[in-house]
Amino acid sequence: MVHKGKSGHIGSMLSMADILPVLYTRILNVDPKEPKKADRDRFILSKGHGGAALLATLAELGYFPLEWLNEYYCDNGKLSGHISHHIPGVEFSTGSLGHGLPVACGMAMAAKQSGKKHRIFCMSSDGDLNEGSSWEAIMLAGQHHWDNLVMLVDYNRLQALGKSRDIIDLESLKEKLEIFGWAVREADGHDQAAVYESLRDLPLRDNQPSAVIFHTVKGKGVSFMENEYKWHYGGLTDELLAQALKEVEEAK
Amino acid sequence: MRKAFNKELLKIAKQDPRVFMILADIGYGEIEEFAETFPDRFINCGVAEQNMTGVACGVAMEGNIAITYSIANFPTLRCLEQVRNDVCYHNANVKIVIIGGGMAYGELGISHHSTEDIAIMRSLPNLVVLAPCDKAETIALTDAMMAYEGPVYFRCGYKNEPDIHSGPVEVKIGGSAQIRDGKAATVFFAGTVGINAVKAVEQLAQEGIECRLVSLYSIKPIDKAAILRAAKETGGIVVLEEHNICGGVGSAVAEVLMDEGAGNVLFKRLAMPDVNATKVGCQAWMREQYGLGVKDVVNAVREIVK
């Protein structure tokens, strides 16, 4: 779908592509037949540029017809490059980084105030954690002990222009989050059993927001993309697409 | 005016459990009663306006009414993208309230002058833009804003503004308030600077020049009918606002006149020149300095009627 629409951000999508199916089929209390049911768990994709991975997940689950994916990024298609709440199953529109966590905090506060039991998940990333607004929200969530809030970090250690270590080094992210009052766990974001194990007993600690740092590989599953930051933006040729699909099929 | 707003908000919050107040460490002396009465519907996000706006949006997305409240540009320009992408795009029920519209904090300098906000906020889809001129409009517009489902920008004044209306006023989103009638010309204004229009129109009346005077408290949507009526019936229009000349209320009125084929009217915008206001002084003095004084209105009307 991304190739057809001549879009980019494939590396960012593959990075979390093993997490989203586990999240949507085994962790989140959601129902594709009733996307707006009141007690659903909320999921906000703060790294909205990877939205096609979420759209593909939602389409596979039946939130909307699979055919919509064929018109992703196309004139008069329904699906834009960054996710929009006008699509069934998409909780919140993002695209500019640093917006997801503050909104998730507001949803967590509202749920606490009204005594509702649903949880609020937010997927962040290296780039998303460069934004000051993300840290404003991280500080606030720790301050208020919102244990219905779960931050997932797609931690592939690359961002648009290079290695995060060389741009804004987030290490040690676990320690940083813990200092701000979060309960933190780390897991392999490409081992689906590990992803499930890391999320099945939330909150990680009572009275603390939870963060699960998923160690991931940008461009996972495609040899020429893996750990190459140019695939943050890069688009494929027909030949490279064929090779990529072959590699992903063989790995199944 | 901020006292009137907070009092009215508190009254509404006592009746409506959906009302939340989301702050960024501003509101000393005004917000305490809300915080004490509704501790679970109040949060101080710290000095972090982007987060304040995002949190308010999240609270509103869950079926509540979230108020963000701060000084001048802090809840608008500082977090403009959150206002645009989060609040307006999602049509979230967030009310963005500023204290000190225009140069109410004159002496504090340009960081505290809210003088480009109308142009910017009225260009955001889904956002209603309101600017009360005195306590009566503040109370009435607070009620109208809270009854409205959707995002609103509320450009409140500061304190001790003189009354423009003689008593309670009826308002509606998209409406305007005529304060006096006359045939010589119409003076439109929005916000607390309107007091200079009131004084100017009174002075002109003593010269025998009877002007219509209208508060355009609803800047978006704007009262097109009142503008077109004024053009037709008075033939001349002056618009006074405490805002940069680019894109504010005067521009909004001009857009209506041109779009509706009523451009053949004598017309003058009284707004701040397109500069940063570097002079130091109180609001009333600053208004004189930047072309928004009583004499500026008087002269503009005289120019039109001569």
Side-chain angles (χ1 to χ4, degrees):
Chain A
M1 66 193 265
V2 174
H3 177 60
K4 205 168 171 184
K6 297 186 174 54
S7 172
H9 296 123
I10 301 170
S12 313
M13 295 162 190
L14 292 174
S15 181
M16 61 176 172
D18 292 317
I19 301 167
L20 292 176
V22 177
L23 191 65
Y24 268 86
T25 57
R26 303 192 66 189
I27 303 298
L28 296 178
N29 170 24
V30 289
D31 181 358
K33 292 189 197 68
E34 204 188 336
K36 289 283 179 194
K37 71 169 184 162
D39 68 343
R40 72 190 182 281
D41 288 329
R42 276 62 164 163
F43 174 71
I44 296 176
L45 181 66
S46 195
K47 48 171 290 187
H49 56 282
L54 176 60
L55 294 172
T57 305
L58 294 173
E60 291 285 351
L61 291 172
Y63 279 88
F64 54 83
L66 278 164
E67 294 76 54
W68 288 15
L69 300 180
N70 295 328
E71 295 168 3
Y72 170 77
Y73 218 80
C74 295
D75 290 351
N76 204 31
K78 290 190 168 58
L79 309 177
S80 55
H82 295 85
I83 50 164
S84 167
H85 64 288
H86 294 297
I87 302 305
V90 176
E91 191 71 48
F92 200 76
S93 302
T94 54
S96 175
L97 294 177
H99 284 246
L101 272 170
V103 174
C105 281
M107 290 179 173
M109 179 193 178
K112 284 283 179 191
Q113 189 271 341
S114 59
K116 291 179 183 151
K117 297 298 176 203
H118 64 262
R119 303 165 298 174
I120 297 90
F121 292 73
C122 179
M123 176 79 82
S124 184
S125 65
D126 301 76
D128 193 51
L129 289 171
N130 283 188
E131 292 281 3
S133 52
S134 294
W135 290 95
E136 292 176 2
I138 287 167
M139 290 191 284
L140 191 74
Q143 175 81 25
H144 289 276
H145 312 287
W146 287 322
D147 59 8
N148 55 351
L149 178 65
V150 185
M151 171 167 55
L152 314 174
V153 186
D154 176 5
Y155 197 44
N156 59 38
R157 296 169 189 253
L158 289 177
Q159 51 193 96
L161 295 188
K163 293 177 180 164
S164 301
R165 187 178 67 209
D166 300 330
I167 299 165
I168 292 289
D169 189 356
L170 292 168
E171 279 300 289
S172 157
L173 181 59
K174 182 170 188 284
E175 286 175 26
K176 287 188 170 96
L177 294 172
E178 283 172 345
I179 286 168
F180 286 151
W182 289 61
V184 187
R185 177 181 281 165
E186 298 185 87
D188 178 347
H190 297 298
D191 175 345
Q192 294 198 320
V195 171
Y196 172 70
E197 281 302 313
S198 72
L199 295 173
R200 71 183 179 83
D201 56 349
L202 298 167
L204 300 180
R205 266 200 296 281
D206 285 343
N207 293 315
Q208 279 186 285
S210 304
V212 180
I213 300 170
F214 288 113
H215 293 278
T216 54
V217 174
K218 196 163 192 136
K220 175 70 178 180
V222 180
S223 58
F224 58 87
M225 285 189 192
E226 287 193 358
N227 287 318
E228 289 290 339
Y229 71 85
K230 76 170 186 174
W231 291 103
H232 181 83
Y233 290 122
L236 285 162
T237 60
D238 290 341
E239 293 73 34
L240 286 174
L241 175 66
Q243 186 189 333
L245 289 175
K246 185 161 167 273
E247 288 183 22
V248 173
E249 279 300 323
E250 282 170 4
K252 267 186 183 173
Chain B
M1 272 171 75
R2 66 173 176 177
K3 203 169 278 304
F5 166 77
N6 278 289
K7 199 173 154 198
E8 192 66 11
L9 178 68
L10 190 65
K11 198 170 95 185
I12 294 167
K14 283 177 179 167
Q15 291 154 6
D16 189 341
R18 298 175 302 157
V19 179
F20 283 62
M21 203 167 195
I22 317 291
L23 296 191
D25 213 30
I26 292 284
Y28 177 77
E30 299 294 339
I31 54 79
E32 289 80 357
E33 196 176 344
F34 190 108
E36 285 157 18
T37 313
F38 307 110
D40 64 337
R41 292 196 263 144
F42 173 88
I43 191 167
N44 181 354
C45 295
V47 188
E49 291 79 9
Q50 295 182 75
N51 198 31
M52 169 179 75
T53 306
V55 167
C57 183
V59 165
M61 295 291 287
E62 296 296 323
N64 301 298
I65 309 172
I67 316 295
T68 63
Y69 173 98
S70 192
I71 289 174
N73 299 314
F74 304 161
T76 54
L77 305 197
R78 177 66 188 229
C79 46
L80 182 57
E81 202 184 61
Q82 277 78 11
V83 173
R84 177 183 181 270
N85 297 6
D86 301 348
V87 174
C88 293
Y89 185 38
H90 294 85
N91 206 21
N93 207 353
V94 174
K95 316 303 183 189
I96 302 156
V97 178
I98 71 157
I99 300 304
M103 293 180 289
Y105 292 97
E107 302 91 333
L108 290 180
I110 75 129
S111 64
H112 286 58
H113 297 167
S114 182
T115 46
E116 301 80 23
D117 54 325
I118 293 171
I120 294 165
M121 302 310 272
R122 82 183 180 92
S123 72
L124 298 178
N126 286 342
L127 191 63
V128 166
V129 178
L130 304 175
C133 69
D134 68 357
K135 282 198 287 294
E137 278 192 8
T138 297
I139 292 165
L141 285 171
T142 300
D143 294 345
M145 167 172 78
M146 296 303 287
Y148 173 81
E149 286 278 328
V152 177
Y153 172 50
F154 192 90
R155 190 195 212 221
C156 196
Y158 182 29
K159 57 185 178 185
N160 302 325
E161 287 87 356
D163 289 332
I164 289 177
H165 295 282
S166 53
V169 58
E170 276 190 30
V171 300
K172 63 174 185 192
I173 287 171
S176 62
Q178 184 170 308
I179 290 149
R180 63 186 288 164
D181 203 4
K183 296 278 185 218
T186 300
V187 179
F188 286 112
F189 67 85
T192 60
V193 72
I195 192 63
N196 285 355
V198 171
K199 289 175 182 167
V201 165
E202 282 168 2
Q203 190 180 320
L204 287 160
Q206 285 170 8
E207 299 172 18
I209 303 171
E210 290 289 347
C211 292
R212 182 176 297 179
L213 181 65
V214 180
S215 168
L216 284 174
Y217 56 74
S218 180
I219 299 168
K220 182 187 172 182
I222 200 160
D223 191 345
K224 284 185 185 178
I227 294 166
L228 295 173
R229 223 168 28 241
K232 195 174 166 198
E233 293 171 4
T234 72
I237 289 176
V238 172
V239 186
L240 175 68
E241 62 184 313
E242 198 165 335
H243 185 275
N244 188 299
I245 189 87
C246 302
V249 187
S251 299
V253 172
E255 288 161 14
V256 171
L257 293 170
M258 295 306 289
D259 285 346
E260 301 295 327
N264 58 338
V265 63
L266 296 162
F267 183 77
K268 176 74 179 168
R269 290 182 295 160
L270 293 176
M272 295 176 62
D274 185 20
V275 298
N276 290 307
T278 50
K279 294 180 183 179
V280 180
C282 71
Q283 186 175 30
W285 185 84
M286 293 288 273
R287 284 170 174 166
E288 305 281 337
Q289 295 297 307
Y290 289 97
L292 316 177
V294 176
K295 70 172 187 323
D296 298 299
V297 182
V298 168
N299 290 341
V301 172
R302 280 189 189 139
E303 195 64 30
I304 275 178
V305 301
K306 82 178 177 191

